[in-house]
Amino acid sequence: MSQGKAIIGINISDHINNVKLEKAAELLKSNNMNISEIAYSLGFSSPNYFSTAFKNKFGISPKEYKSSN
């Protein structure tokens, strides 16, 4: 086990994705950017990958999340 994983309990790329997804949730609530703009601005390779990762973390799609706020 790497030292980084021992400290936070997950690997670094998973941690970075979690941070990006938390930021995405903030942007979806407070911003007029569309989902593709948010995905690319946070460094996701595609809006589809972003949507899948977001749904895996929060249980709903970014579109549903944005419209619920």
Side-chain angles (χ1 to χ4, degrees):
M1 183 182 300
S2 74
Q3 201 173 7
K5 188 171 183 177
I7 293 169
I8 60 174
I10 59 174
N11 70 43
I12 298 301
S13 62
D14 287 344
H15 176 65
I16 291 168
N17 267 353
N18 280 331
V19 170
K20 288 180 181 180
L21 291 167
E22 294 288 342
K23 181 64 177 172
E26 290 175 26
L27 291 173
L28 286 165
K29 285 182 192 172
S30 65
N31 201 298
N32 289 329
M33 293 169 71
N34 68 40
I35 291 164
S36 293
E37 289 171 326
I38 291 170
Y40 289 127
S41 74
L42 293 173
F44 285 92
S45 57
S46 75
N48 285 341
Y49 174 69
F50 165 70
S51 291
T52 300
F54 191 94
K55 189 167 187 172
N56 286 339
K57 179 169 177 63
F58 294 105
I60 60 172
S61 72
K63 184 176 181 178
E64 293 169 314
Y65 188 89
K66 187 172 180 73
S67 67
S68 71
N69 290 302

